[in-house]
Amino acid sequence: MFGLPTPIIGLIIAVFVLVYLVLKTRVHAFIAMLIAASIAGLIGGMNATETLGAISKGFGGTLGGIGIVIGLGVMMGSILEVSGAAEKMAYSFIKMLGKKKEEWALAITGYIVSIPIFVDSAFVILYPVAKALAKNGKRSLLTLGVALAGGLVVTHHTVPPTPGPLGVAGLFNVDIGAMLLVGMSMAAFPVIGIVLYAKWLDKKYPDFNQQVFTQEELKQKYDDYIESREKKNLPSLGLSLLPILLPIVLIFIKAILDLIAKGNPDLSHNVVYQAFIFLGHPIIALAMSVLISVYALLPKVDRNTTALHLEEGVKTAGIILLVTGAGGALGAVLRESGAGAELAKQVASLPISPILIPFIVSTLVRFIQGSGTVAMITAASISAPILAQIPGVNMLLAAQAATMGSLFFGYFNDSLFWVVNRMMGISDVKKQMIVWSVPTTIAWAIGGSMVIFANLIWGNDGSLFDLILPLGVLGGILLYVNRQNKQL
């Protein structure tokens, strides 16, 4: 087949079958990835026993590293959701920032809340806050809603313990703590881009509030919201933030101590060092966070109800665990069949940096089938075995590239596209895409550019030409916005 090595032929056929099954049939992504892994192995030169062995090894190895963390993360998110902690954070940030900065308050809330809570659920919980703040049409409901959704979607796609980024970290074999800290740092810039775009939407659709609610309805919603928050027994802001901030702080301390220990080996025998290394491990840090959230946020809830809340969170993570494990299985087959090594030779000769491979693959899969989680897991499972064969590739930045690529152009096949547009009462297709497809693409372009800039500094293979793709798309969007401004 065109003189290609057998492992490459197996991979090409496997990817084609994977895309076809996910896009055109009712076969779930989990089964589709297992089928693709089997095809890649059998056609790529492995026998049945070797293929099944690689699938089992890859599946178990991936989940062995991050499965527990995913389970603990969704447990914590479930408690934050049912306890009212997410609402408390939104209300508190709004009061802190004051009037006329509500969009920033909602974006910050979304940025924090979506780290442990699934993005669709978080938007449903917090959108009434945006509606309440749009009192008397003085603030654009459209601006507030998009700012909130923007803050939610970016960290959902890039920061552990959200299952997708956790799975990517496992597939690239990078430290979860480093993935969390770098993801939080880089996520800030796409969020800022979305908020600025959300403010522009107010100029493009100045009468949006009146299209959805009358002035009387908006005022009533605001008054009802203030009254309900005053009467509702919400947890304090400190207790609401504690389950999120505690693991981040512990993981950060562990990362700093690890860096110090590299230059001072004697530190490894220090009791304090050992204590923080233990407490800062993601499994221990998140386990402590779950315990704190249970006893601090649900102090009067009985044991059976608490167990139901925790189990409900685990149910939502079940299929993501399976998809992540299947991604690990596909990656293991590509490594053992030799496809990764063969492709690495080809990638090394391309005019782009290898770091763009997971970014491009994630972007394409996201556009084809919609799910950001499936996109980043697929990109990681395909590209990790390739990049592992290329010297000098910063695997942490490669993992970030896979997550950032999954932000691209959220539209009809993305569940959040419908959640955002339906809750804001937008039915016109063109307006739906302006409201959500464009801002997610802005986040994709800014996030991709951040990864490329970081690779220029900390990688060994960076090139300014890598910026052509994300900045070219971003430039096209800005030209569109500028043209629309002239028509206002």
Side-chain angles (χ1 to χ4, degrees):
M1 184 177 176
F2 308 109
L4 294 174
T6 302
I8 302 298
I9 296 173
L11 174 60
I12 293 172
I13 296 174
V15 171
F16 176 81
V17 171
L18 173 62
V19 172
Y20 177 81
L21 290 176
V22 173
L23 193 62
K24 295 292 187 181
T25 73
R26 292 181 294 171
V27 175
H28 193 275
F30 167 61
I31 303 295
M33 293 185 82
L34 289 180
I35 293 173
S38 301
I39 291 173
L42 294 173
I43 297 180
M46 299 170 67
N47 61 40
T49 302
E50 292 170 338
T51 300
L52 292 173
I55 289 173
S56 298
K57 180 180 177 183
F59 189 95
T62 301
L63 291 187
I66 51 89
I68 297 174
V69 180
I70 290 177
L72 291 170
V74 295
M75 281 183 175
M76 178 180 67
S78 180
I79 299 299
L80 290 174
E81 182 177 331
V82 301
S83 67
E87 290 181 81
K88 181 65 179 183
M89 282 184 267
Y91 188 53
S92 299
F93 288 136
I94 290 163
K95 291 178 67 177
M96 287 179 190
L97 292 175
K99 294 182 178 180
K100 303 301 180 183
K101 294 181 181 178
E102 291 89 345
E103 64 273 14
W104 292 104
L106 288 172
I108 292 170
T109 303
Y111 173 90
I112 296 173
V113 167
S114 195
I115 293 174
I117 299 179
F118 283 97
V119 63
D120 292 23
S121 300
F123 186 79
V124 171
I125 294 168
L126 294 174
Y127 183 62
V129 179
K131 290 197 293 185
L133 290 169
K135 60 175 181 176
N136 299 321
K138 292 180 181 178
R139 295 310 315 274
S140 169
L141 181 58
L142 186 59
T143 294
L144 299 183
V146 171
L148 169 62
L152 290 167
V153 75
V154 175
T155 50
H156 174 78
H157 280 247
T158 58
V159 181
T162 303
L166 269 177
V168 171
L171 291 166
F172 277 100
N173 196 28
V174 299
D175 181 72
I176 295 174
M179 186 77 173
L180 186 152
L181 296 173
V182 172
M184 289 190 69
S185 301
M186 289 191 174
F189 297 93
V191 172
I192 292 171
I194 290 181
V195 173
L196 295 176
Y197 179 80
K199 295 178 75 171
W200 171 80
L201 285 174
D202 186 21
K203 298 178 181 179
K204 181 169 177 60
Y205 301 108
D207 299 325
F208 177 80
N209 285 6
Q210 285 69 29
Q211 293 173 7
V212 183
F213 303 106
T214 65
Q215 290 188 356
E216 292 75 14
E217 287 174 330
L218 286 166
K219 185 177 186 303
Q220 187 61 48
K221 286 179 181 295
Y222 179 81
D223 293 340
D224 290 345
Y225 174 72
I226 295 298
E227 183 179 355
S228 66
R229 292 294 81 78
E230 291 174 349
K231 292 181 178 179
K232 196 170 182 179
N233 186 26
L234 294 174
S236 67
L237 178 61
L239 289 179
S240 298
L241 287 170
L242 184 59
I244 300 175
L245 295 182
L246 176 65
I248 293 174
V249 171
L250 289 174
I251 290 170
F252 178 74
I253 292 174
K254 177 183 179 295
I256 296 298
L257 290 176
D258 282 338
L259 287 175
I260 296 174
K262 289 181 179 179
N264 184 13
D266 293 335
L267 183 63
S268 61
H269 302 294
N270 187 283
V271 175
V272 176
Y273 170 82
Q274 290 295 332
F276 276 106
I277 292 301
F278 177 77
L279 295 175
H281 191 283
I283 292 177
I284 303 303
L286 282 169
M288 292 173 60
S289 181
V290 172
L291 289 174
I292 289 173
S293 64
V294 167
Y295 286 99
L297 300 179
L298 299 176
K300 298 180 180 179
V301 176
D302 62 82
R303 182 177 62 182
N304 291 334
T305 304
T306 300
L308 287 174
H309 291 321
L310 294 173
E311 290 168 8
E312 190 63 33
V314 174
K315 289 177 184 177
T316 60
I319 195 63
I320 295 176
L321 285 168
L322 292 176
V323 171
T324 302
L330 177 58
V333 169
L334 297 185
R335 282 191 297 272
E336 297 195 18
S337 69
E342 293 289 347
L343 276 174
K345 298 176 184 177
Q346 304 301 321
V347 170
S349 64
L350 292 176
I352 61 172
S353 300
I355 200 82
L356 280 186
I357 300 302
F359 182 70
I360 292 172
V361 173
S362 183
T363 298
L364 292 173
V365 176
R366 160 72 167 184
F367 184 73
I368 290 169
Q369 57 78 52
S371 169
T373 300
V374 173
M376 66 179 79
I377 293 297
T378 303
S381 62
I382 292 174
S383 60
I386 300 170
L387 301 187
Q389 305 294 324
I390 303 176
V393 175
N394 188 317
M395 298 300 273
L396 177 58
L397 294 180
Q400 286 296 321
T403 63
M404 290 296 183
S406 69
L407 285 165
F408 184 74
F409 200 76
Y411 74 124
F412 308 127
N413 53 7
D414 174 21
S415 63
L416 187 59
F417 174 90
W418 296 110
V419 171
V420 170
N421 281 298
R422 283 173 177 166
M423 291 200 70
M424 288 198 289
I426 302 171
S427 57
D428 178 74
V429 173
K430 180 182 178 182
K431 187 182 291 187
Q432 287 176 338
M433 296 179 73
I434 290 173
V435 165
W436 192 238
S437 303
V438 171
T440 52
T441 307
I442 289 174
W444 167 86
I446 295 174
S449 299
M450 292 302 302
V451 172
I452 292 168
F453 278 122
N455 191 48
L456 288 171
I457 300 172
W458 291 291
N460 297 324
D461 55 359
S463 169
L464 287 173
F465 289 104
D466 298 339
L467 291 167
I468 293 175
L469 174 61
L471 291 184
V473 174
L474 183 60
I477 293 173
L478 294 178
L479 286 175
Y480 167 80
V481 171
N482 183 57
R483 185 180 304 171
Q484 294 295 313
N485 273 338
K486 292 179 181 179
Q487 297 175 2
L488 295 177

